[in-house]
Amino acid sequence: MVKKKIKVSLSQFKSLVVVAFLVILSGGVGFRLGRQKGLLEATQVSPRVDLSLFWQVWKRLEDRYLDSAILNSQEMVYGAVKGMVASLGDPYTAFFSPRDNEVNKEDLNGEFGGVGIQLGYRKEVLAVISPLDNTPAFKAGIKAGDLILKVKDENKNIDQNTDGMGLPEAVKLIRGKEGTSVLLTLLREEGVPFEVELVRSRIVVPSLTVEWLQKDNKKIAYVHLLQFSEVMYQQWENWVEQVVEQKQTPDFGGVVLDLRNNPGGFLEGAVYITSEFVAQGVVVKQKGVDYDQTYQVNRVGQLLDVPLVVLANQGSASAAEILAGALQHYQRAKVVGEQTFGKGTIQEPENLPDGSGLHITVARWFLPGDTSIDKQGVRPDIEILPIEGEEDVVLEKGMEILLE
């Protein structure tokens, strides 16, 4: 489908741009964390805002730009809004054009393929929060914390450094049709940049996997919680039923809750799982500009007295960090592994009237002891680093602690 180029005069278009600025610069609606809500309601722009420079530049472009045929008024507005949002210096606060917003909301099981990377930032550089299990990125050895310096895709005619790149653009570049390839230039810690070619595939990630392990003649209930999704609850309940049946037997050794490479998801999921193991208390606090909210244990769990160990790594982020931090705070479980990612801010997603979208950082998470996890993460009680190509030493250490 060929897009028709739109060109209108400054006087014709000025009122439309004012509306766009009204919508973006102010106003808002309440939201339910982790889920999209309604439309952003416009109010008045502060009288201190002087848009004369904007109109001066717009007029100069309209009058003087050499190739006037490519001027597209709507795209110019989107570009201006993107620049305004980017000026905040917060990579998680982002504006999405209608097309980018649609891609952002698409399910990974749809027409687009992926490589299995949860994206974020480390020191304002595009980075891997976590590689999702059994995906192209995971199988290629990509690790949480790897910096993404460059994206190259010959089929899409892309060869682009990621300096200053926002999440919407990064997602759009890395995703693509199943079976096609993308070449990423990565940097790991203080090493030398290296390239990894990944073939995109359909990404289907379960919420959790479970297994019964044997250690010193004891049966250990192992659950790897991969993400906090809406389909997690029934899977979790089915697993809890098995543990409840076994926990009264003499050979029951306890539970290993593995949060490694869990990029997060719905906050409600973290509160729900915490409530399985903790009888009462604050799970997490949310502190914003104009409101605070506290999330408490909200149900009677069935595993309040089982021995418990939590595994975490640099790929444990957001809701996974909240869960690990709460269990650690109440001394309900020891955290074994690596320091977590440190994704401690909250984004409010809004759909705008023309199909575009805006994600705004509106608050921070604080653990029960009023400790922020933003850029700090959760420090393990016992630090164990994985050993490349060998058995899972983190899991082995966790089981040892469980049976002490």
Side-chain angles (χ1 to χ4, degrees), residues 177-181 199-201:
K177 291 183 179 180
E178 294 177 46
T180 61
S181 298
V199 178
R200 301 178 178 101
S201 67

Side-chain angles (χ1 to χ4, degrees), residues 19-222:
V19 171
F21 271 94
L22 285 169
V23 171
I24 299 298
L25 283 175
S26 58
V29 295
F31 72 102
R32 181 166 178 252
L33 188 65
R35 291 176 170 80
Q36 302 270 7
K37 277 304 197 182
L39 301 176
L40 194 65
E41 297 175 350
T43 58
Q44 292 184 343
V45 175
S46 167
R48 293 174 296 175
V49 176
D50 182 1
L51 299 179
S52 60
L53 178 61
F54 175 85
W55 295 119
Q56 181 181 352
V57 173
W58 183 290
K59 179 65 173 171
R60 292 290 289 174
L61 291 173
E62 188 176 64
D63 292 344
R64 301 290 297 160
Y65 186 67
L66 175 64
D67 192 359
S68 61
I70 71 169
L71 292 179
N72 183 315
S73 301
Q74 186 62 68
E75 291 301 320
M76 290 166 68
V77 171
Y78 289 146
V81 174
K82 285 182 180 180
M84 174 177 59
V85 174
S87 71
L88 301 176
D90 175 8
Y92 295 107
T93 294
F95 173 77
F96 301 77
S97 69
R99 173 56 186 155
D100 289 345
N101 197 35
E102 190 62 32
V103 170
N104 182 59
K105 294 186 293 183
E106 282 174 350
D107 182 61
L108 284 174
N109 296 327
E111 66 174 292
F112 286 92
V115 297
I117 291 175
Q118 183 77 15
L119 295 175
Y121 291 87
R122 280 198 180 280
K123 298 180 179 179
E124 300 183 357
V125 179
L126 186 69
V128 178
I129 291 183
S130 67
L132 304 178
D133 280 7
N134 298 316
T135 62
F138 182 87
K139 294 174 182 176
I142 291 178
K143 297 183 179 298
D146 285 349
L147 304 181
I148 304 175
L149 306 182
K150 188 176 181 180
V151 180
K152 184 174 182 179
D153 185 334
E154 294 182 355
N155 292 325
K156 295 164 69 173
N157 197 26
I158 293 168
D159 190 355
Q160 191 168 338
N161 292 327
T162 62
D163 292 344
M165 184 179 291
L167 281 178
E169 185 178 2
V171 170
K172 185 167 63 174
L173 295 183
I174 295 174
R175 289 177 64 179
K177 291 183 179 180
E178 294 177 46
T180 61
S181 298
V182 60
L183 184 69
L184 303 181
T185 301
L186 306 172
L187 179 63
R188 183 169 299 161
E189 297 177 347
E190 302 300 323
V192 177
F194 61 97
E195 295 182 339
V196 175
E197 184 172 13
L198 301 170
V199 178
R200 301 178 178 101
S201 67
R202 180 166 298 189
I203 308 298
V204 180
V205 181
S207 292
L208 57 90
T209 60
V210 300
E211 189 177 353
W212 286 94
L213 305 175
Q214 291 284 339
K215 178 76 172 177
D216 297 340
N217 297 318
K218 294 289 186 178
K219 291 176 65 175
I220 294 173
Y222 171 81

Side-chain angles (χ1 to χ4, degrees), residues 295-371:
Y295 295 85
Q296 304 266 357
V297 168
N298 58 12
R299 66 190 181 94
V300 179
Q302 299 187 68
L303 304 179
L304 300 176
D305 58 350
V306 300
L308 177 67
V309 163
V310 173
L311 310 184
N313 68 359
Q314 295 179 55
S316 308
S318 193
E321 297 177 276
I322 290 169
L323 173 55
L327 294 174
Q328 183 186 60
H329 173 81
Y330 291 112
Q331 299 182 357
R332 183 62 186 85
K334 284 190 168 136
V335 177
V336 179
E338 301 173 273
Q339 185 170 336
T340 62
F341 188 85
K343 172 65 170 66
T345 57
I346 306 158
Q347 283 67 48
E348 173 183 314
E350 302 289 349
N351 290 321
L352 302 176
D354 67 343
S356 58
L358 181 65
H359 289 190
I360 305 177
T361 297
V362 295
R364 284 189 175 88
W365 301 121
F366 288 84
L367 295 174
D370 280 336
T371 302

Side-chain angles (χ1 to χ4, degrees), residues 2-17:
V2 178
K3 289 186 178 180
K4 184 178 179 181
K5 295 192 183 299
I6 303 170
K7 187 180 181 215
V8 296
S9 68
L10 176 63
S11 60
Q12 290 173 316
F13 200 72
K14 194 168 184 178
S15 61
L16 297 178
V17 179

Side-chain angles (χ1 to χ4, degrees), residues 370-385:
D370 280 336
T371 302
S372 172
I373 61 175
D374 189 34
K375 300 177 183 177
Q376 304 297 321
V378 174
R379 295 183 181 277
D381 296 291
I382 300 172
E383 185 176 19
I384 299 289
L385 301 180

